[in-house]
Amino acid sequence: MPGLYLHIPFCHQACTYCDFHFSTSKQRGPVLDAMELELVRRSKEVGHAPVGTIYFGGGTPSLLGTERIAAFIQQAHDLFRVERDAEVTLEANPDDITTQRLAEWKAAGITRISLGTQSFRDDRLKWMGRAHDAQQALASIELIANAGFRTWTIDLIYGLPDMTLAEWDEQLTIALDHGMPHLSAYCLTVEARTALAHQVKKGAVHMPGDDAQSAQFDRLMERMGQDGLDHYEISNFGRPGHYARHNTSYWEGTPYLGIGPSAHSFDGTTRRWNVANNAAYVKALKDGTSYWEHETLTPAQRTNERLMTGLRTAKGVEVAALEVDALRINSSAFQRYMSNGDLTLLHGRLALTKAGRHFADRIASDLFVTDDDR
Ligand code: SF4
């Protein structure tokens, strides 16, 4: 159980594109108390397991009081064998960053800050419904860079309506000028039941075509490469020694324990997900009733997950470790992508080429198998 994830389901306000589970309620205590209870209960299931990474995600973990964050970290140390050099990440938004809070988080054991920057432009941030402005985005990066964390990262979003290559270039220049050791860059997608989906449906927002988004992805790869950041996962770029260890465990299919409303867990064969409702979560934890669903993956499902997540990484997928021989079963799709130059097979590992990274999901799904194929 190398990774521990804590989902803090609260935000200051709702961003228009977001489909994560969160609430804007200020009544946070009961959910956080229930999470402490869940940690105790789940720790009994996995024993005094070693933990190499702890990740506070959400939601917006940085809106919690530091004492709550410190208490969760202490509880993790009490219940598990947290490794001495564990990566402990806190997702933070620019409007929550102050010199004092950074110092407190560091003292509490946070080693890595993941900053939800998204854009350095006021008009874009306003359009996205973010709680911070461009000045806060810049100021918070400067504070984080000087706060002495082991590492840090920022998030940016591209593929926005009417975004030009020049605008995207400018965003990347600002980020690189601030010396970030790691970047997560996400292409805006329209998720069902979000305010953005509603605006698109009404015709109030027109999403850009694939060509514009594709050109921005190419520019992203080019700029990060020029600046020495490795493209180690489709959306993630890092300088050597600064890759995200916690997220890497998701991409490599290793077990993790997820705590909190909507959090997912994986033990190697079974996937489990908590109810995405704060009140139902609190009540079930109090009453001792069930608050999760689970699914035991079949060999074909495990194979497909390895393909889906593994192909997103530069290391690719170890073909011999696939439980079902997906390349033999889908030999014509496999051969087509190899001859197109979208896939490479090197030292037994199947990986996407730079060209193939534009179509990662499609290529993976064309290699999917069913249990009947075995
Ligand atoms: S701050 Fe993050 S989790 Fe909260 S609404 Fe915005 S995108 Fe979603």
Side-chain angles (χ1 to χ4, degrees):
M1 208 276 296
L4 176 63
Y5 173 79
L6 294 115
H7 187 83
I8 309 297
F10 300 104
C11 290
H12 292 297
Q13 61 191 57
C15 301
T16 54
Y17 56 88
C18 179
D19 74 338
F20 294 141
H21 169 66
F22 67 91
S23 146
T24 51
S25 166
K26 299 265 188 295
Q27 300 301 315
R28 297 167 190 151
V31 174
L32 302 172
D33 293 345
M35 288 177 65
E36 290 188 2
L37 203 53
E38 188 188 9
L39 255 174
V40 172
R41 293 202 186 145
R42 303 287 299 279
S43 71
K44 290 183 181 143
E45 290 166 23
V46 296
H48 200 54
V51 167
T53 63
I54 301 174
Y55 193 102
F56 289 91
T60 306
S62 58
L63 56 64
L64 293 191
T66 313
E67 63 293 345
R68 270 290 186 177
I69 292 165
F72 276 126
I73 294 174
Q74 184 56 51
Q75 200 187 4
H77 278 268
D78 293 343
L79 297 171
F80 306 102
R81 272 182 292 132
V82 179
E83 291 166 8
R84 280 168 66 92
D85 71 336
E87 175 192 89
V88 186
T89 301
L90 181 82
E91 285 185 353
N93 280 344
D95 42 315
D96 291 326
I97 303 284
T98 64
T99 308
Q100 187 185 337
R101 300 195 83 195
L102 287 167
E104 287 172 1
W105 292 334
K106 190 157 173 274
I110 299 294
T111 66
R112 178 175 182 269
I113 299 287
S114 174
L115 187 72
T117 318
Q118 318 311 356
S119 175
F120 297 108
R121 284 176 53 144
D122 280 333
D123 57 344
R124 295 299 193 179
L125 291 166
K126 202 161 171 221
W127 180 82
M128 291 184 220
R130 301 289 309 187
H132 66 277
D133 60 23
Q135 195 277 331
Q136 286 172 313
L138 287 170
S140 58
I141 288 182
E142 279 172 21
L143 292 180
I144 291 168
N146 293 312
F149 288 95
R150 202 181 297 159
T151 190
W152 53 281
T153 178
I154 68 170
D155 287 356
L156 288 178
I157 296 181
Y158 65 97
L160 298 167
D162 301 320
M163 185 182 233
T164 61
L165 263 186
E167 176 187 337
W168 182 225
D169 248 334
E170 186 191 35
Q171 298 292 300
L172 296 174
T173 300
I174 295 170
L176 290 167
D177 283 351
H178 284 76
M180 60 179 185
H182 186 283
L183 169 73
S184 298
Y186 301 105
C187 186
L188 182 68
T189 50
V190 182
E191 304 292 349
R193 293 181 297 281
T194 58
L196 177 60
H198 185 65
Q199 290 164 353
V200 170
K201 194 166 166 214
K202 273 193 328 191
V205 167
H206 299 283
M207 288 296 289
D210 290 348
D211 287 353
Q213 295 184 330
S214 201
Q216 288 161 26
F217 183 53
D218 273 331
R219 185 60 57 89
L220 170 69
M221 291 194 279
E222 182 189 327
R223 294 289 309 274
M224 293 304 113
Q226 285 167 354
D227 220 82
L229 279 91
D230 302 330
H231 192 185
Y232 72 102
E233 195 270 348
I234 292 281
S235 306
N236 287 278
F237 301 81
R239 298 194 191 284
H242 293 274
Y243 296 6
R245 280 166 51 194
H246 184 84
N247 292 345
T248 297
S249 71
Y250 296 153
W251 304 320
E252 292 185 346
T254 55
Y256 54 89
L257 189 64
I259 302 291
S262 83
H264 285 229
S265 303
F266 181 57
D267 68 3
T269 50
T270 300
R271 205 162 272 302
R272 163 169 162 168
W273 55 98
N274 288 352
V275 61
N277 178 302
N278 289 0
Y281 174 82
V282 170
K283 182 167 186 333
L285 260 300
K286 260 195 201 146
D287 296 349
T289 53
S290 171
Y291 55 91
W292 71 87
E293 291 179 71
H294 70 281
E295 178 186 30
T296 299
L297 302 182
T298 64
Q301 286 172 320
R302 286 196 292 270
T303 300
N304 295 343
E305 288 214 353
R306 286 304 307 123
L307 286 166
M308 189 60 131
T309 54
L311 280 180
R312 293 183 62 88
T313 64
K315 276 167 73 179
V317 177
E318 189 186 352
V319 174
L322 292 175
E323 290 176 71
V324 182
D325 190 350
L327 304 192
R328 180 187 58 78
I329 291 162
N330 299 297
S331 61
S332 60
F334 167 57
Q335 291 302 341
R336 187 174 73 247
Y337 286 124
M338 288 295 286
S339 51
N340 280 355
D342 287 333
L343 281 174
T344 60
L345 187 55
L346 201 63
H347 306 306
R349 298 195 78 94
L350 184 70
L352 295 172
T353 62
K354 204 167 176 180
R357 287 178 197 154
H358 286 273
F359 315 107
D361 290 350
R362 189 195 310 163
I363 293 172
S365 66
D366 282 349
L367 298 177
F368 279 1
V369 291
T370 67
D371 285 294
D372 295 336
D373 290 329
R374 299 175 70 205

